Every structure is written in C-alpha cells, then in structure tokens.
Amino acid sequence: MKNDNTLKTLTAAGLLALAVACEQPAQNKLADNLYMYTIEVQQKYLLLPIENEATEVKMELLVEGKNIGELMNIRIAQNQIDYWIPIEIEAYKGKKLTLSFNEAQNARMGFSKIKQSANYNFVYQEKYRPLYHFSPQYGWTNDPNGMVYYKGEYHLFFQYNPYGCKWGNMHWGHAVSKDLVQWEQLPYALAPDKLGAIYSGCVVIDKDNTAGFGKDAMVAIFTSAGEQQVQSLAYSLDNGRSFTKYEGNPVLTHPTIVDFRDPKVFWYAPTQQWIMSLATSQSITFYGSKNLKEWTQLSEFGEGIGNHDGVWECPDLFPLTYEGQTKWVLFVSINPGSPNGGSATQYFIGNFDGKTFTPDPLPYPLWIDYGRDNYAGVTWNNVPAEDGRRLFIGWMSNWDYANEVPTTNFRNAMTLARTLNLAHNGEHLVVASKPVKEIERLRCETISLPNKTATTTTFEQLLNNNDGAYELTFSIIPNGSDNFSFSLLNDKGEELTYIFDIANKTLVTNRAKSSVAFNANFAAMLIKAPLTAKKSYTIRLLVDKASTELFVNDGEVVQTNTIFPTEAYNALRFKTDKGTLSIKNVTIYKLSASETAISYLIENYLKK
C-alpha cells in the first residue's frame, strides 16, 4: 500500500476547487467561517495541533487545486494543544498543498501552529499505554474488524480515526501478527469514500475465486455508512497490503432499515455458499450468496429472545464442539443493554441448518464477558484446521466513557486474543474463553508465594520494579465462607476488589476506588456476573497498566475491566467475614513488553 493514502482520506470534492486555483498565503481567512492553509511540500509530514474538547471543523485537502479524498472532521486546537496528528505528504514534494477548513472561526491559534516536519515524534509509552495489548500508535479505535488468518499472519483490522482521539472519520486500521501477541501496525486499509465512512465488517479468503477477484483473494465485506447503511466489497491480492474497492458497490441494501450493518461472512460447505450474518436493528438477518456480490435473504433471528435494550450490532455465527456434538454459537453485541451498563456482547447457543439458526432453551441473555470493557468482539476466519481453535478478540472499552478515558495520543485498545470453547458450568452450557497460549511467551519473571489459610491475609510487594504488566494465578477454597474477596492495592489507597458472593451466586467487581476520576459512569456501579457455587475457584488475572482480565474456572466466568490507577497495583489482599480461606499456588508472572512497544520506545527515545 502506498504511504500517501493518509492524504487521500482528508478531503471532499467540490468545496473550494475555484478558491485554490490561485496561490494562497499560509493562512488566509476567506470568510467568517472559512480558512485556507497553503504550502509547498518540502517535508515528510504535515503536523496538525489537536485539542480534544475543541469544536469539530470540516477539513479537506487539495493538491495543485485538485480535491483528494473525502471531507473529514477534525478538532483543530482553539485554546491549547493536547497532541499532534501527522498527515504524510512526502509523495507530494514540490507541489502546492492546500488545507481548507470551514466552521473554523475559533481555531486561529491552531492554524498558526500547523507545520511541516521531517519527523513525527510523540510519547508512545505514555502512562496508560498497554505493554502487551494491541493499541493504535495514535488516534482512536473501537470495534475489531476483518480478522482473518492468511499465509502465516493473523490480520486484525479495526475501526480507526487517524485524525483524532475521539470517534469519527471511520477507517479500517490494520495490524498483523504471527503469534497473536506481537502486533505490527500497517497503513490503514480502507478509507471513507462517496458511499460514506467505513463501518465494521469482515474478511474472507476466496479460495475458489467465487467473486472473480482472483484465486485466494482477500475480500473485505463491510458497511458503507453514508446517507444509508449499505454493504460493500473490497479485495486485496497482496496479502492485505492494499485493497481495491469493487466498482459495483454497494452489493446489499435495504430501503427502510436504518441500522443495517456489520456483516460477518463464512463459507458453508454443505450448501456451497457464503453465509452472511447482518445486524438489522433489533434482529440478525442471515443472507446467502454464491459469489459475495448477489445476496438472498435466508431467515431472521431475534424476536422475543435475548436482550433488546439497545441496537443489535456486530454478529458472528460459528460452530463449536461439545462432547463430540457440533453446536452453533451466535454473538450479538448491544449498545446500550449491558447487564452492567453501556455496551456488551450477548450470545446464543443452538443449531444452524444452512438457513435458520434455532437457539437451545437456555437462560438468556448470556454474556461472553460480564465486565464493562469487552465489546463488539468477533472471531478469526480461515484459522487452519490443524490449529483447531476458535480465536476471538474484542474492543476493550465501553461506549459509556470510551471518548473520555485519560490517555493522550491514543484512545482504547483490544482485549487479549482468546480461545473460545463450550463448557458446562454445573447448571448449563456456556461459552468459555481464556487467553491464547502464546501470551505465556511474555512471562519473564516468576514468583511463587506460600500457601496460606486465614480470614485475612495480604501479600505485599508482588514485584520489584512493577510497571503494571503482570499475571496472577491462584486457587481459593472457601472453608465455611459464603462471601469472600480479593483485592489489588497500591500505596495511593487505590484498589480493585473482586467479591465472591456465593450465597447470592454472584461475582462482583468494585472499581469505585480503582482509578483517577474522569467520568461519572466509569465507577458508579458494582459490576456483577453470575457465579455457580463450587468447592474451589481457580483464578487467572492479567493486568496491563490500564486493564484487568479475570478468568474464573478456566474462563467459565470472565470479567474485563479497564482501570486507571495513579500507580501500579502491587499488593494482593484476601478477606472473608466468616470461616477461612485456603489460598494455594499463588504465582505472579511479570510480563514483558511486546516487541511492538519496545520498538516504538527505541524509535521515539533512543534515536533522538
């Protein structure tokens, strides 16, 4: 993919074509609400000063008077500069480049700071940047999209705003990994066009060239979100490094459904056709196609079942095996409607006959993760049969506060990649999840603590030089106790507490004192999950600076919750009000930073 594609998403045809035909000074007010910025390109980047709370202005770019790309919204600094956003302009060296802004009467300070630069340096490893989760280098991310395995690489596309740290200007960002742990971010894959922004979707490998784009073409199926939400195609013949949009887009429309989005597609061999799951307001509609271009409605699912408190989004239909029997699982994300506020992902277990999904009678709604910060997750396509895993990743945030989390150059990250399986929790089937085994490669230091039986006990100083990236594993046996807890603590009085309320069959997370204050919805409520009473509980907790992922009993119950403490939690406390707790096999693994994080540290610090 050419490096100049960043530029091509910035403009909207026709706004100022006549005005820029003549040369303008670097900053020129043409009207009360219209500004121009014209330069001769000499450097690699154009740096724009951004203020998170500034009013959005419309921005377009022209090269030698020609509009490039689509209109973008950007928060040019009005009172202060929070961070800088780069536009790569090297491909236009020696040419006249013009940025035009409308509705921009309050952004004079920001216009005066726009500059060319040979480098884009920023503090990559800021306070809440995860060390081993994927996060974009800069800008905003939400839903994971288009996950597919191909030629030794796991591809992760994602909803991406490269022009600011709040939602907007939806592109598909792109990262690849050989092991689901070390991620390399590539230039973004898809940018807005005349049909609209690029919303969520999927990628398939067209092994038999059913679409006519080429054998083994990597085909993206996504929602174009303009005046209407419609489904479109793009294809890549170079392992995802560049995509060509299908000239016949859109391939699927609906005249009346407003929320018509997020296609997830797979090949269903028994009927020799592609199956699409599509979110259609308060239902999931299934479509079939022989060629990815022409779609026929097969059935609809959702009426009278599950949670309907918000719009249904980001479906995923896939098989899992339990005790030799194939079952089908349908994921449906919903916002709002989470049992703990905001956004979450529910699921259904049942059967699929190539046309209709029929759910088993289970106590719906069921949730893949009862924490507040795992949304819109879907699974990888084309994972080799010899691997055998159903691999999943989610967006690690919540729409209640995602636009306000206290980071600077980026906002939000992905969960760890996880393996899904069906399990029986003692009452019914559930979709269990656990981190992929590859994460264990990051274990660089191991500390084992002594077994204890007590009513209250605290392990101080879990790690020397604790940078907030570690894994805890242990088991708890409650002896005569039906309510106990464990907590992570730091020296600032901040804590994150997990309460096992066995009497009420509830696992509760309390993060009221866990973090710096930034949003009233963040820590206002207790975060609850159903808990089956058992004689013992195995715990696996992964912490990465601003996130916690708790897996109970091999992932039968999962809670993912972000945190923003003043300093790393470095103590572990257990407590019960009656009886005792037997705490066994407490192990702390210090986790090393991913190679991605290390490389950015070197680039942004050691090379200066």
Side-chain angles (χ1 to χ4, degrees):
M1 178 176 291
K2 293 182 179 179
N3 289 332
D4 65 349
N5 64 359
T6 300
L7 288 170
K8 294 180 181 178
T9 68
L10 287 173
T11 69
L15 180 64
L16 291 172
L18 293 177
V20 298
C22 59
E23 184 175 356
Q24 301 292 339
Q27 181 182 335
N28 185 19
K29 180 177 179 182
L30 299 182
D32 286 342
N33 65 344
L34 188 60
Y35 285 80
M36 306 285 287
Y37 181 92
T38 299
I39 59 169
E40 180 182 320
V41 176
Q42 298 175 341
Q43 302 285 355
K44 184 174 182 179
Y45 296 105
L46 189 65
L47 300 182
L48 305 182
I50 306 298
E51 181 183 347
N52 265 328
E53 301 308 317
T55 303
E56 285 187 332
V57 299
K58 305 289 185 183
M59 182 181 75
E60 65 172 354
L61 182 142
L62 305 98
V63 175
E64 298 292 353
K66 181 181 178 181
N67 295 284
I68 307 295
E70 298 296 318
L71 195 72
M72 291 290 131
N73 296 312
I74 192 163
R75 299 176 187 271
I76 290 290
Q78 297 176 358
N79 302 295
Q80 65 184 38
I81 299 173
D82 292 326
Y83 54 91
W84 297 82
I85 286 294
I87 302 172
E88 195 163 331
I89 58 176
E90 189 173 28
Y92 301 102
K93 271 191 176 181
K95 296 183 179 180
K96 185 191 303 180
L97 179 148
T98 299
L99 293 180
S100 66
F101 304 86
N102 63 10
E103 305 298 333
Q105 55 267 36
N106 297 321
R108 294 181 183 179
M109 186 275 279
F111 295 145
S112 70
K113 301 295 184 181
I114 296 173
K115 60 186 178 182
Q116 294 191 67
S117 176
N119 301 296
Y120 172 54
N121 294 320
F122 66 103
V123 179
Y124 176 82
Q125 200 57 56
E126 58 182 88
K127 185 177 180 66
Y128 296 120
R129 170 80 71 173
L131 291 184
Y132 58 88
H133 289 74
F134 174 77
S135 60
Q137 298 170 28
Y138 59 87
W140 161 279
T141 190
N142 55 288
D143 306 0
N145 298 150
M147 287 109 72
V148 69
Y149 179 87
Y150 187 57
K151 291 186 176 179
E153 291 182 322
Y154 296 94
H155 292 259
L156 169 62
F157 300 89
F158 52 94
Q159 292 286 278
Y160 183 43
N161 180 7
Y163 307 118
C165 292
K166 291 194 174 187
W167 182 91
N169 308 316
M170 284 294 95
H171 295 58
W172 268 25
H174 188 195
V176 294
S177 174
K178 294 186 181 301
D179 63 2
L180 296 165
V181 176
Q182 312 287 354
W183 292 98
E184 176 190 1
Q185 186 170 343
L186 302 176
Y188 57 72
L190 296 172
D193 56 30
K194 64 182 181 180
L195 290 177
I198 311 298
Y199 277 15
S200 291
C202 64
V203 168
V204 298
I205 304 302
D206 191 4
K207 298 177 182 179
D208 297 321
N209 193 24
T210 65
F213 299 138
K215 180 176 171 56
D216 290 326
M218 183 180 287
V219 183
I221 307 102
F222 57 91
T223 299
S224 296
E227 294 183 2
Q228 285 185 300
Q229 293 183 359
V230 297
Q231 314 319 311
S232 297
L233 303 178
Y235 62 93
S236 172
L237 302 176
D238 59 0
N239 202 21
R241 270 52 181 183
S242 64
F243 279 84
T244 301
K245 288 176 181 172
Y246 173 48
E247 62 184 11
N249 286 336
V251 297
L252 182 60
T253 65
H254 196 286
T256 60
I257 298 177
V258 174
D259 298 305
F260 187 72
R261 60 177 178 261
D262 309 337
K264 185 66 159 62
V265 175
F266 67 94
W267 180 255
Y268 188 69
T271 58
Q272 289 293 292
Q273 67 175 340
W274 299 99
I275 301 294
M276 176 193 292
S277 307
L278 191 70
T280 50
S281 187
Q282 288 284 304
S283 66
I284 302 303
T285 302
F286 299 105
Y287 293 86
S289 174
K290 297 292 185 181
N291 60 12
L292 294 171
K293 298 174 180 177
E294 299 164 312
W295 294 91
T296 301
Q297 183 172 332
L298 302 175
S299 64
E300 190 173 355
F301 169 81
E303 184 176 356
I305 190 170
N307 185 298
H308 287 269
D309 291 342
V311 175
W312 281 25
E313 298 184 312
C314 302
D316 191 5
L317 178 67
F318 55 88
L320 288 176
T321 301
Y322 180 71
E323 294 186 345
Q325 181 183 8
T326 297
K327 303 295 294 183
W328 286 80
V329 175
L330 176 63
F331 281 0
V332 178
S333 290
I334 186 169
N335 176 45
S338 165
N340 292 302
S343 46
T345 300
Q346 62 183 320
Y347 66 86
F348 306 88
I349 301 173
N351 297 291
F352 180 68
D353 62 4
K355 180 178 180 181
T356 303
F357 175 78
T358 304
D360 291 347
L362 294 172
Y364 302 115
L366 299 169
W367 306 90
I368 187 64
D369 193 316
Y370 285 84
R372 294 207 69 195
D373 295 297
N374 183 353
Y375 187 63
V378 289
T379 63
W380 262 271
N381 282 333
N382 204 48
V383 175
E386 57 269 26
D387 182 300
R389 293 179 294 177
R390 176 59 59 171
L391 299 171
F392 163 95
I393 203 168
W395 176 49
M396 198 159 56
S397 196
N398 188 303
W399 282 114
D400 270 1
Y401 43 76
N403 277 288
E404 300 173 40
V405 295
T407 52
T408 301
N409 293 291
F410 79 104
R411 270 212 172 98
N412 307 312
M414 299 299 167
T415 68
L416 289 175
R418 302 177 185 181
T419 303
L420 304 180
N421 65 280
L422 290 175
H424 202 287
N425 68 1
E427 297 182 356
H428 56 81
L429 278 182
V430 296
V431 177
S433 67
K434 55 188 175 184
V436 294
K437 62 182 181 294
E438 289 88 341
I439 193 67
E440 297 174 12
R441 299 174 186 172
L442 296 182
R443 293 173 176 173
C444 60
E445 180 182 342
T446 303
I447 298 174
S448 298
L449 301 178
N451 295 340
K452 287 191 177 184
T453 298
T455 56
T456 301
T457 189
T458 301
F459 295 101
E460 306 281 359
Q461 194 71 21
L462 297 178
L463 291 168
N464 295 321
N465 302 315
N466 188 349
D467 57 8
Y470 55 90
E471 176 184 356
L472 284 169
T473 62
F474 52 87
S475 62
I476 305 177
I477 302 173
N479 306 307
S481 172
D482 60 7
N483 190 296
F484 63 89
S485 67
F486 71 89
S487 303
L488 295 175
L489 311 100
N490 64 23
D491 291 339
K492 301 296 184 181
E494 296 164 331
E495 63 180 65
L496 177 70
T497 299
Y498 297 96
I499 303 165
F500 288 68
D501 184 353
I502 301 173
N504 292 301
K505 294 185 176 181
T506 305
L507 169 64
V508 179
T509 301
N510 185 346
R511 62 178 181 183
K513 300 179 181 178
S514 68
S515 305
V516 298
F518 67 92
N519 180 288
N521 283 328
F522 177 76
M525 64 176 64
L526 297 175
I527 305 167
K528 299 180 179 181
L531 181 71
T532 303
K534 296 193 174 183
K535 292 182 179 180
S536 65
Y537 298 91
T538 59
I539 306 299
R540 188 177 183 187
L541 178 63
L542 291 105
V543 181
D544 190 2
K545 296 184 73 171
S547 68
T548 59
E549 291 169 277
L550 175 72
F551 302 87
V552 179
N553 291 342
D554 214 22
E556 289 180 9
V557 180
V558 179
Q559 280 210 20
T560 301
N561 294 294
T562 53
I563 51 170
F564 300 93
T566 305
E567 63 179 36
Y569 299 128
N570 205 28
L572 175 63
R573 181 184 66 205
F574 294 88
K575 183 178 180 180
T576 183
D577 292 332
K578 66 175 183 179
T580 62
L581 298 176
S582 294
I583 305 155
K584 297 183 177 181
N585 303 316
V586 180
T587 305
I588 305 109
Y589 301 98
K590 184 178 177 65
L591 300 181
S592 62
S594 69
E595 293 174 4
T596 302
I598 293 171
S599 68
Y600 288 137
L601 280 169
I602 293 172
E603 182 175 347
N604 284 281
Y605 290 99
L606 299 185
K607 288 185 178 180
K608 286 186 178 180

